[in-house]
Amino acid sequence: MTAHPFSATSDLRERLQDPDPEVRRVAVMELPYSDDDDYIELSITALGDADARVRADAAKALEGVEEAEVVSALVPMLKDQDAHVRQAVADTLAELKESRWGSLLLPMVTDSSTEVQTAALRALRALRVPESFALAMSAAQSAEAAVRREAAGVLAYLKNDAALGTLTRLAIEDPSTEVRRVAVGGLGFSNNVDVLPALMRALGDSDWQVREEAALTIGKLKLHGGIQALIEVLSDAYWQVRIAAARSLGKLKAVQALEVLCAALSHEVSNLRKEAAVALGEIGDNRAIPALERAANDPDPDVRKLSRLALSRLAA
């Protein structure tokens, strides 16, 4: 009886040479889980396969492998002729953690392809390579929104106050919602109180995700000057934004928000009721006890638990 080409008894190396690309593809997908000591070398070889699906799966198989031969083979493939391969390579490179790969990625930021620029900036973000600062500042001027978005991410991770002006501009002026959201979050890496006006502007953004990010960032930076604006945001049309505001008001221990947070304990969205209970516990004002006692009987078990936890904090 002839063995099935995908059976466990089939030789992995033979299947990697099979004329059928689907057989080769399955073999490549098995490589990270095989006992073959040369699986990295075999995966690198598969990056040159004639079939795009095999190349894409080979790139995925190398995720998390930070070796010079692997990264050196992957970076040029950001220019592969197939879009799925380029995406797989970009996703794998985005998982890199060691700054030494910056030297391979930096030249790609100035590539003629905006897709390559985007992928290179995305991979550079977590590496925090100082040399990427000037390139990211330049990329923040790109006509391509995806490039500006990744440039904002790089600038945020570098935590260089020289980028605050650029991040502020992107946060309040960029036509792309996603660029504005990333830039607003990027301002959260700064300890400079001068970012508050930009965050206040972002609280009024037309997109709820930008408003949500702004509300969270104000709390993260402990900017007490934003308390009144956060209180107003608790009436936002989107409950996700209200949750972000409640969370930040709790972090800021905003006694001024006591009344609106107590009212939020009756909101129809249970996630907001939970966040309001947590915030009231963090604020620690005994005037919240009656509202929390009512919430301790909420139909949602998580709301009940968090309300009781808040009450225990107030009693401590």
Side-chain angles (χ1 to χ4, degrees):
M1 181 175 178
T2 303
H4 191 281
F6 302 148
S7 71
T9 58
S10 297
D11 182 79
L12 188 61
R13 289 173 178 262
E14 287 183 6
R15 286 189 284 137
L16 287 169
Q17 301 297 322
D18 196 279
D20 185 343
E22 190 60 27
V23 174
R24 300 198 303 277
R25 179 171 176 247
V26 173
V28 166
M29 293 169 66
E30 292 178 10
L31 278 173
Y33 312 101
S34 73
D35 295 327
D36 197 312
D37 293 335
D38 296 325
Y39 98 84
I40 292 177
E41 180 181 342
L42 293 171
S43 298
I44 292 174
T45 300
L47 289 174
D49 197 277
D51 188 88
R53 294 171 302 167
V54 176
R55 298 198 302 278
D57 283 311
K60 295 174 184 176
L62 290 167
E63 184 176 321
V65 181
E66 299 205 29
E67 296 186 7
E69 58 181 341
V70 171
V71 182
S72 296
L74 285 170
V75 170
M77 292 189 66
L78 287 173
K79 304 176 76 169
D80 191 275
Q81 62 183 0
D82 185 86
H84 292 98
V85 175
R86 296 195 299 272
Q87 185 60 54
V89 171
D91 289 344
T92 295
L93 290 174
E95 297 301 315
L96 295 175
K97 306 299 181 188
E98 300 176 19
S99 60
R100 59 180 171 140
W101 309 125
S103 60
L104 295 174
L105 292 163
L106 288 169
M108 291 294 185
V109 178
T110 55
D111 191 85
S112 58
S113 165
T114 55
E115 184 179 10
V116 173
Q117 294 172 30
T118 301
L121 286 164
R122 179 183 169 202
L124 280 166
R125 180 176 54 195
L127 304 187
R128 294 184 171 90
V129 181
E131 293 82 0
S132 64
F133 179 78
L135 291 170
M137 288 287 280
S138 177
Q141 309 291 330
S142 173
E144 180 63 40
V147 175
R148 299 196 304 276
R149 180 193 66 218
E150 298 304 333
V154 170
L155 293 173
Y157 269 66
L158 287 173
K159 300 182 180 181
N160 187 332
D161 278 353
L164 287 181
T166 295
L167 286 172
T168 297
R169 176 181 59 78
L170 293 175
I172 62 178
E173 296 178 5
D174 200 274
S176 165
T177 294
E178 188 60 16
V179 173
R180 296 197 305 276
R181 185 190 67 78
V182 172
V184 166
L187 292 174
F189 285 92
S190 171
N191 291 319
N192 193 324
V193 72
D194 290 342
V195 302
L196 180 58
L199 294 174
M200 298 277 276
R201 286 274 299 275
L203 283 177
D205 194 273
S206 60
D207 186 86
W208 72 265
Q209 291 178 304
V210 178
R211 300 197 300 276
E212 177 188 38
E213 193 70 43
L216 291 172
T217 303
I218 289 173
K220 175 183 176 181
L221 293 177
K222 302 288 177 55
L223 297 174
H224 289 82
I227 286 177
Q228 186 55 46
L230 289 173
I231 290 173
E232 294 172 7
V233 167
L234 274 176
S235 61
D236 194 275
Y238 284 78
W239 60 265
Q240 296 93 332
V241 182
R242 295 187 184 196
I243 285 177
R247 184 172 302 169
S248 288
L249 286 167
K251 288 183 178 180
L252 291 166
K253 300 188 183 303
V255 176
Q256 307 95 305
L258 198 67
E259 182 178 349
V260 288
L261 287 171
C262 285
L265 288 173
S266 301
H267 194 274
E268 62 181 345
V269 176
S270 62
N271 282 342
L272 179 54
R273 300 200 301 275
K274 287 186 282 189
E275 205 64 55
V278 172
L280 288 168
E282 291 180 326
I283 292 170
D285 192 304
N286 288 338
R287 288 175 293 175
I289 289 177
L292 286 168
E293 287 179 336
R294 289 191 294 273
N297 296 306
D298 192 277
D300 187 294
D302 289 331
V303 176
R304 294 198 300 270
K305 180 177 69 175
L306 291 170
S307 296
R308 290 165 185 163
L309 179 60
L311 284 167
S312 69
R313 293 185 66 177
L314 291 177

